[in-house]
Amino acid sequence: MRSLSNYGSRSSKTFKPKKNIPEGTHQYDLMKHAAATLGSGNLRLAVMLPEGEDLNEWVAVNTVDFFNQINMLYGTITEFCTEESCSIMSAGPKYEYHWADGHTVKKPIKCSAPKYIDYLMTWVQDQLDDETLFPSKIGVPFPKNFLSIAKTILKRLFRVYAHIYHQHFSEVVQLGEEAHLNTSFKHFIFFVQVSKHFAKKHLIL
């Protein structure tokens, strides 16, 4: 188990490496399908569970994709999101987020936005890399509580979008990234809504 001092040791000027789905796997085929459908410009169609496919695999592939998208988007504005400018992790005065993962940090701690996002992205990446949680090999089952795990990951990734929109949208506009951010966020919201429908009792967000 990593210590808190090593937990989230990413430099404020860098961001997590992209999480790749192994080529040749069924999840890779699903990812290519999702990318091709997304390329059509129809976001609502892009988030629909393909006929005959497993919900867990579809949620896993999209969770990895959203991690990569948010990772990249936040990486473009890290120079503006500093300990000084964003001393608390918030999305406005009514929405302040304190960090806890239930293991290394059991009691929620107040921290800056860059530190919170660092903890969050490290925490997500550790789960994506865990083959018992996100299996990439054919025949390896997903854990029974997988949709609950994905629900928590997506709920927390939403907070990064919320912080970017509230605190850094002007910088996003200056960088010419607003169309990319808006499309990514709309894709995320559509996916969550559709996943709720398919998961029924196992809500994603």
Side-chain angles (χ1 to χ4, degrees):
M1 182 179 293
R2 68 179 71 203
S3 67
L4 185 57
S5 61
N6 293 322
Y7 189 69
S9 57
R10 173 176 56 83
S11 163
S12 63
K13 300 300 180 184
T14 61
F15 50 104
K16 298 294 179 193
K18 185 176 180 180
K19 168 67 179 178
N20 291 313
I21 293 174
E23 192 169 351
T25 63
H26 184 60
Q27 288 183 19
Y28 182 82
D29 294 338
L30 279 177
M31 181 189 69
K32 299 297 284 186
H33 169 84
T37 312
L38 192 59
S40 71
N42 189 332
L43 289 174
R44 290 196 180 277
L45 180 62
V47 299
M48 294 298 292
L49 176 68
E51 187 174 352
E53 295 295 346
D54 178 68
L55 177 62
N56 285 339
E57 283 200 311
W58 184 238
V59 169
V61 166
N62 281 276
T63 300
V64 170
D65 184 41
F66 287 122
F67 169 79
N68 287 335
Q69 287 187 45
I70 294 168
N71 195 14
M72 183 177 66
L73 286 164
Y74 181 69
T76 66
I77 54 94
T78 50
E79 65 182 293
F80 307 110
C81 188
T82 66
E83 296 284 335
E84 293 74 29
S85 65
C86 301
S87 58
I88 59 173
M89 174 60 178
S90 71
K94 294 183 179 179
Y95 301 98
E96 181 176 330
Y97 306 117
H98 295 178
W99 177 254
D101 63 8
H103 299 287
T104 306
V105 185
K106 294 184 178 181
K107 184 178 180 180
I109 58 172
K110 186 174 182 177
C111 54
S112 67
K115 182 61 69 177
Y116 182 100
I117 294 171
D118 194 8
Y119 288 154
L120 170 57
M121 299 307 273
T122 299
W123 173 78
V124 174
Q125 189 176 44
D126 285 347
Q127 291 179 88
L128 299 183
D129 289 340
D130 187 340
E131 283 287 325
T132 67
L133 299 180
F134 280 78
S136 60
K137 296 180 177 62
I138 295 175
V140 178
F142 284 85
K144 291 182 179 180
N145 64 334
F146 175 74
L147 292 178
S148 177
I149 292 168
K151 168 187 173 179
T152 303
I153 290 174
L154 292 173
K155 180 172 67 176
R156 291 186 171 188
L157 287 176
F158 171 84
R159 296 172 183 176
V160 184
Y161 280 120
H163 179 74
I164 292 174
Y165 270 110
H166 186 266
Q167 295 291 125
H168 301 293
F169 192 69
S170 60
E171 289 95 352
V172 170
V173 171
Q174 290 171 22
L175 293 168
E177 294 284 340
E178 69 271 26
H180 186 186
L181 173 63
N182 290 339
T183 299
S184 177
F185 183 61
K186 187 182 291 185
H187 182 200
F188 180 90
I189 293 300
F190 283 175
F191 177 75
V192 166
Q193 290 173 340
V194 169
S195 296
K196 282 183 178 182
H197 169 72
F198 283 112
K200 293 182 180 178
K201 293 182 181 180
H202 303 281
L203 300 185
I204 296 303
L205 188 62

